[in-house]
Amino acid sequence: MLFSSITFLYYFLPVMLALYFIAPGKWKNIVLLMGSLIFYAWGEPKYVFLMVLSILPGYGFGLLIQKHRGKSSGRIYCIVSVLVSLSFLLYFKYADFFLENLNHAAGLKIPLLKLALPIGISFYTFQIISYTVDVYRGEEAQRNPCYLAAYIAMFPQLIAGPIVRYADIAGQLEGRRHSWSMAASGIRRFILGLGKKILLANQLGELCSVFRDSQEKSVLFYWLYAISFVLHIYFDFSGYSDMAIGLGRLLGFQFPENFNYPYISASITEFWRRWHISLGSWFRDYIYIPLGGNRKGRKRQILNILVVWILTGFWHGAAWNFLVWGLLFALLLTVEKFWLLQKLEKSRVLSHIYVMFFVIISFVIFNGENLAQGISDLGGLFGIGGIELVSAEALYCLRSFGFVIIIAGIGATPLIGKVIRHIRKRPLGEKSMQVLELPFLLVLLLIMTAYLVDGSFNPFLYFRF
């Protein structure tokens, strides 16, 4: 079930919230769990059993790890729990990738499993791992299996994050406060996130789809596609994160922020502090630092960076273009750490151009159906293959989508937020904003509902991963 769907907005969510707030405090997590399982089963009924099957070992190992904490057996239980969680992910997401490449390398004909990828498995697997590792590190194990299952299966962040660590909301699972101000903040955040998704990401995604189907590709069209995809993935994913954070607030949870205007970054290092923050911090705290981080010399640090970014690329999908994407960022980050970072600080303009150039290049590789297509798209950006500079279809798309691209470009910066804060500081500015906010949100919701009723282009990119 998509957040950006009539079914979710006007059927599931109102019923879910009504039952949740009617339920007594000790029953709220049970209602949340049941609603989350229904939400997940709506699109993939059979895979809800896989998720439950993934949660049960996490619960059992959590209790065992706490009981044996400080002993070698506790460490063994922790390692086994991580391996069990990863086994589900490896089987469903990566088995065919390994079989296909083994067949190609060894000349074998092992039949592929052709398994459908369970939606959200990458996200909830990482949450189960974070739980058991946090227990090993000293966090109290959750003795109520329904509470733990509610944390892992929680519908706002189940499908595409942000990756919420158990340690961050352990106290909120046991007891949380609800208030009108928090609910209002959650509704506002959800509607604005929905606006990012429907009014910007979907339009930009439609342009990318038109480009893929076109037989009149040109250098201009390739650049239109590349810029549109970079904006599309940002508004698609950050919009979903905003919706998840908003829904979390409605339910009394404080989820971590996941994006902080990454396209204003002056280095790739800064970019990854602002982009998909929950994933980057997860790899830092559960992979990079345990491997030794930067504490064991330069060669070991380079190796650690390489390992983290191979895993980051591979986490996004079982294809070579994701691995190349990860290796590109490993190279850029390594070069920055040991040589380039200080030079970038001398010119904000040049550093920003450098960042956006490599971000565009990286996401063109990232979005290829395979590595060959990603490399072909890169060639198109630079006119390789003798393609024309401008085509009639590219000019048509520029006229049709140019306004959306400009608005999205502005929206990807803090400019709008700064203008709103400036207005609030002026006499009567705060009161005016309060009076206008509710009508604005209602009109925005009506416009988005019209788009959804019309059946407009409405995929969600990260379901692919």
Side-chain angles (χ1 to χ4, degrees):
M1 193 185 304
L2 286 169
F3 288 170
S4 54
S5 67
I6 296 295
T7 302
F8 178 82
L9 289 173
Y10 294 105
Y11 295 96
F12 175 84
L13 187 58
V15 173
M16 175 68 209
L17 291 176
L19 294 175
Y20 178 81
F21 285 110
I22 289 170
K26 64 180 181 180
W27 287 95
K28 288 191 185 299
N29 284 340
I30 306 300
V31 172
L32 179 58
L33 173 60
M34 293 298 102
S36 297
L37 293 177
I38 292 169
F39 172 85
Y40 192 78
W42 192 273
E44 293 192 331
K46 62 181 179 181
Y47 283 129
V48 75
F49 298 104
L50 172 65
M51 184 171 63
V52 173
L53 190 62
S54 301
I55 292 170
L56 290 175
Y59 172 73
F61 278 118
L63 296 177
L64 286 171
I65 291 166
Q66 177 168 283
K67 183 178 179 180
H68 295 270
R69 189 185 292 148
K71 303 175 184 177
S72 59
S73 54
R75 181 180 178 85
I76 292 171
Y77 283 129
C78 182
I79 293 171
V80 173
S81 71
V82 171
L83 293 176
V84 169
S85 295
L86 288 176
S87 67
F88 291 105
L89 185 61
L90 289 170
Y91 179 72
F92 282 94
K93 190 169 183 177
Y94 302 107
D96 278 354
F97 174 79
F98 290 122
L99 287 175
E100 186 176 8
N101 283 280
L102 178 62
N103 286 343
H104 181 75
L108 303 175
K109 294 184 179 180
I110 302 172
L112 302 182
L113 302 177
K114 296 183 179 179
L115 298 169
L117 178 64
I119 293 174
I121 189 171
S122 298
F123 290 90
Y124 70 69
T125 297
F126 270 27
Q127 293 197 174
I128 296 170
I129 292 173
S130 80
Y131 165 69
T132 54
V133 173
D134 285 348
V135 171
Y136 175 74
R137 292 175 174 177
E139 193 72 38
E140 284 295 308
Q142 178 55 254
R143 296 190 175 277
N144 188 322
C146 291
Y147 282 21
L148 180 65
Y151 152 67
I152 294 167
M154 199 181 302
F155 75 91
Q157 46 77 55
L158 169 63
I159 302 300
I163 300 171
V164 180
R165 302 188 204 179
Y166 177 74
D168 291 337
I169 64 166
Q172 297 169 46
L173 283 169
E174 298 296 335
R176 51 195 176 273
R177 295 181 180 180
H178 302 84
S179 67
W180 285 110
S181 61
M182 191 171 176
S185 171
I187 292 169
R188 183 191 311 116
R189 187 72 178 265
F190 178 84
I191 292 176
L192 292 176
L194 188 63
K196 281 185 176 182
K197 165 63 181 164
I198 294 175
L199 301 180
L200 294 176
N202 285 1
Q203 311 310 310
L204 295 163
E206 188 172 358
L207 172 55
C208 295
S209 181
V210 169
F211 168 81
R212 280 283 175 237
D213 296 336
S214 173
Q215 300 300 315
E216 294 183 32
K217 292 185 174 68
S218 61
V219 173
L220 174 62
F221 210 172
Y222 272 103
W223 278 101
L224 269 178
Y225 154 72
I227 292 168
S228 296
F229 179 74
V230 164
L231 292 169
H232 166 64
I233 191 173
Y234 169 70
F235 283 104
D236 201 59
F237 196 15
S238 70
Y240 193 101
S241 293
D242 286 342
M243 288 187 275
I245 292 167
L247 289 172
R249 289 178 186 173
L250 269 173
L251 300 169
F253 292 95
Q254 293 285 359
F255 293 161
E257 294 294 335
N258 215 20
F259 289 87
N260 183 22
Y261 299 109
Y263 294 154
I264 67 170
S265 301
S267 68
I268 297 298
T269 302
E270 182 185 356
F271 175 82
W272 279 103
R273 290 177 184 149
R274 293 174 175 271
W275 178 277
H276 205 343
I277 299 168
S278 63
L279 178 67
S281 62
W282 196 98
F283 273 108
R284 180 196 65 209
D285 294 343
Y286 295 100
I287 304 293
Y288 181 71
I289 292 175
L291 285 174
N294 59 1
R295 304 186 307 275
K296 297 186 177 182
R298 178 173 292 190
K299 290 183 180 179
R300 181 60 179 270
Q301 184 181 5
I302 292 172
L303 177 62
N304 293 342
I305 292 171
L306 184 63
V307 170
V308 164
W309 282 97
I310 288 175
L311 293 176
T312 301
F314 208 39
W315 179 86
H316 280 86
W320 285 106
N321 55 311
F322 295 116
L323 287 172
V324 171
W325 176 82
L327 287 170
L328 174 61
F329 278 116
L331 175 62
L332 291 171
L333 289 166
T334 301
V335 170
E336 283 189 3
K337 282 183 182 297
F338 297 115
W339 177 66
L340 190 58
L341 209 53
Q342 291 183 340
K343 298 181 185 297
L344 291 173
E345 294 172 355
K346 295 178 181 179
S347 173
R348 184 81 183 181
V349 174
L350 291 177
S351 62
H352 182 68
I353 293 171
Y354 147 80
V355 169
M356 288 311 302
F357 175 78
F358 280 108
V359 165
I360 290 171
I361 294 298
S362 71
F363 278 127
V364 166
I365 297 171
F366 181 93
N367 195 46
E369 286 297 322
N370 49 53
L371 183 58
Q373 187 183 71
I375 293 173
S376 174
D377 290 341
L378 281 182
L381 292 176
F382 302 102
I384 297 174
I387 62 174
E388 58 185 338
L389 291 175
V390 180
S391 62
E393 191 170 6
L395 291 173
Y396 174 79
C397 287
L398 182 59
R399 290 191 296 269
S400 301
F401 293 93
F403 180 73
V404 174
I405 293 172
I406 291 170
I407 295 299
I410 295 171
T413 73
L415 180 61
I416 296 174
K418 287 180 179 179
V419 171
I420 292 173
R421 286 192 294 272
H422 177 72
I423 293 173
R424 287 184 183 276
K425 291 178 181 178
R426 297 181 66 84
L428 301 178
E430 182 65 32
K431 289 186 178 180
S432 299
M433 293 298 292
Q434 290 176 355
V435 170
L436 293 173
E437 182 179 65
L438 181 58
F440 170 77
L441 292 175
L442 287 175
V443 170
L444 185 61
L445 183 60
L446 285 172
I447 292 171
M448 292 184 295
T449 301
Y451 269 89
L452 294 177
V453 170
D454 185 52
S456 300
F457 185 83
N458 189 34
F460 178 61
L461 181 67
Y462 256 69
F463 280 2
R464 176 182 169 191
F465 311 119

